[in-house]
Amino acid sequence: MLLSNRHRTDSTFEEIPIIDLSAVSSTDPVKRRELADLIRDACINVGFFYINNHGIPNDVITAAVEAGKRFFTLPDHVKMDLDIHKTDNFKGYTALLGENTDPNGRGDLHEGFDIGWDSSLIFDTSSALLSDDATAGAAMTGTNVWPPEDVLPGFKEPVLAYYRAAVDLGRSLFPLFALALDLEEDFFKEKITKPAAIMRLLHYPPQKASTVEKDGSVIGIGAHTDYECFTILWQDSVGALQVQNTAGKWIDAVPIPGTLVVNLGDQFARWTNDVFKSTLHRAINKSGVERYSIPLFFGTNYDVLLEPIPSCVSEDMPAKYDVITAGEYVKSRLEATYSHSAL
């Protein structure tokens, strides 16, 4: 049976489900199948879900968040030495209004620091990523940029510690996504040996509600879909994230202690012919205080072709998308995002 006809309930959702990942490493096929079915329902009907018992220690999260906060207090001219527009692989610092995710907007009211796959990094053999120069010259690859140690001591290590932990978590989810698509659990294994794992430290200044109501063209992040397979998001206690359901209603993705938010991106939507939802979302910080978040955008190796999965196409539901490599797709979306910035 075509996947799009299975497990679909009411796609006009009002709540985002919470999924317990305790069984993510279980060797019991029944437990893994049950977990995959929960993920499938969320992927088909919502495109977003919370995860608890995700395995990333609180101290690793806290250290990365605190490192990010210290970075954003640096003088603007120091941060701009790492300006993302100076690189050809979209790594480094993004100033306020430095990107524009919604073409109808006038810029996004946040600042960020981006890192990603870097072949110069050394990861131990138990980690998700290994040092490998095979990707040299491919789209989006290249070294990360970091603030000098004498300018911001002790910054790189906690940021990379969280990056490694989030990448490992992301890799553990792929077999479940494969099961959710009725594929062999190792379907994605060779496609994520050098994954596009782009992580951002984000800072949102407070924004007056009245300003948003009068002029909604500048908000924390404009309405958009993510570009990769899925995103793993840590968000602080300040609510700002909103998800749009099929009725056009914005649903608050309220912060829930101990959880991370997972949402699907365009790579999975293209791969599954829109059976899995890449859902429109935005962030508006009307809290009156600073907001911080850390999304990790997890995609495949950049050279992977995003070809439709056979169970997601039929005569009644033909393939909707041209085949493109994962790297070229992400690169094209990022180029559009930064070329439309207000800077």
Side-chain angles (χ1 to χ4, degrees):
M1 182 182 294
L2 192 67
L3 271 172
S4 61
N5 295 327
R6 298 177 57 188
H7 292 267
R8 187 176 293 279
T9 56
D10 180 6
S11 59
T12 308
F13 62 91
E14 293 289 334
E15 295 182 352
I16 299 170
I18 303 173
I19 297 177
D20 188 331
L21 281 190
S22 297
V24 69
S25 300
S26 175
T27 58
D28 184 339
V30 174
K31 290 182 178 179
R32 293 182 65 77
R33 180 74 258 179
E34 290 173 348
L35 182 53
D37 284 345
L38 292 174
I39 289 174
R40 170 158 52 191
D41 286 347
C43 292
I44 290 176
N45 295 308
V46 184
F48 269 74
F49 53 95
Y50 297 92
I51 52 175
N52 56 19
N53 294 314
H54 48 72
I56 301 182
N58 286 334
D59 60 338
V60 172
I61 295 173
T62 300
V65 173
E66 292 304 315
K69 289 180 178 179
R70 289 194 295 120
F71 174 82
F72 292 121
T73 62
L74 292 174
D76 287 345
H77 74 275
V78 175
K79 291 182 288 188
M80 289 303 294
D81 285 341
L82 306 172
D83 184 12
I84 203 167
H85 295 84
K86 296 178 181 178
T87 71
D88 58 6
N89 61 1
F90 303 100
K91 296 174 182 177
Y93 173 67
T94 304
L96 293 176
L97 306 180
E99 62 178 312
N100 189 37
T101 50
D102 182 352
N104 296 316
R106 294 189 294 112
D108 295 339
L109 194 64
H110 69 264
E111 56 179 338
F113 180 78
D114 291 31
I115 67 169
W117 163 251
D118 184 340
S119 60
S120 69
L121 294 176
I122 302 298
F123 290 76
D124 65 44
T125 55
S126 64
S127 177
L129 299 177
L130 302 175
S131 179
D132 189 338
D133 291 329
T135 57
M140 294 291 298
T141 58
T143 58
N144 289 305
V145 296
W146 299 96
E149 181 68 16
D150 60 343
V151 172
L152 192 62
F155 173 73
K156 181 177 179 179
E157 291 76 11
V159 172
L160 281 179
Y162 180 82
Y163 180 73
R164 290 186 178 99
V167 167
D168 284 341
L169 172 60
R171 290 189 79 206
S172 74
L173 294 177
F174 269 100
L176 296 172
F177 284 117
L179 281 177
L181 290 164
D182 289 341
L183 302 168
E184 295 295 327
E185 285 196 58
D186 63 355
F187 177 82
F188 296 107
K189 184 177 180 179
E190 297 304 315
K191 300 173 176 62
I192 55 170
T193 55
K194 298 177 286 292
I198 302 169
M199 190 178 87
R200 310 194 73 196
L201 306 176
L202 294 177
H203 166 235
Y204 299 78
Q207 188 173 13
K208 292 181 179 179
S210 60
T211 302
V212 176
E213 291 165 0
K214 291 179 180 178
D215 179 13
S217 62
V218 177
I219 60 176
I221 293 182
H224 68 287
T225 56
D226 290 342
Y227 313 150
E228 292 80 2
C229 288
F230 58 88
T231 303
I232 299 171
L233 171 71
W234 175 87
Q235 58 177 338
D236 66 12
S237 59
V238 178
L241 178 62
Q242 296 181 322
V243 182
Q244 189 178 68
N245 67 16
T246 54
K249 180 180 178 180
W250 289 102
I251 307 298
D252 291 328
V254 297
I256 300 176
T259 70
L260 301 171
V261 177
V262 175
N263 67 273
L264 302 189
D266 297 345
Q267 286 184 10
F268 260 161
R270 295 175 75 96
W271 235 335
T272 66
N273 207 30
D274 283 339
V275 172
F276 277 9
K277 291 182 178 297
S278 181
T279 305
L280 204 67
H281 56 285
R282 67 186 184 184
I284 307 176
N285 181 21
K286 298 184 287 186
S287 65
V289 298
E290 313 294 310
R291 178 185 186 253
Y292 298 89
S293 68
I294 308 178
L296 178 94
F297 306 97
F298 206 122
T300 66
N301 299 353
Y302 285 125
D303 60 354
V304 169
L305 286 174
L306 300 176
E307 299 175 303
I309 292 171
S311 61
C312 298
V313 294
S314 68
E315 289 185 6
D316 295 330
M317 214 173 116
K320 298 179 180 180
Y321 301 104
D322 294 333
V323 176
I324 188 174
T325 65
E328 289 301 328
Y329 178 75
V330 173
K331 183 179 180 181
S332 69
R333 291 294 303 273
L334 288 172
E335 286 175 341
T337 296
Y338 288 103
S339 67
H340 293 148
S341 73
L343 293 181

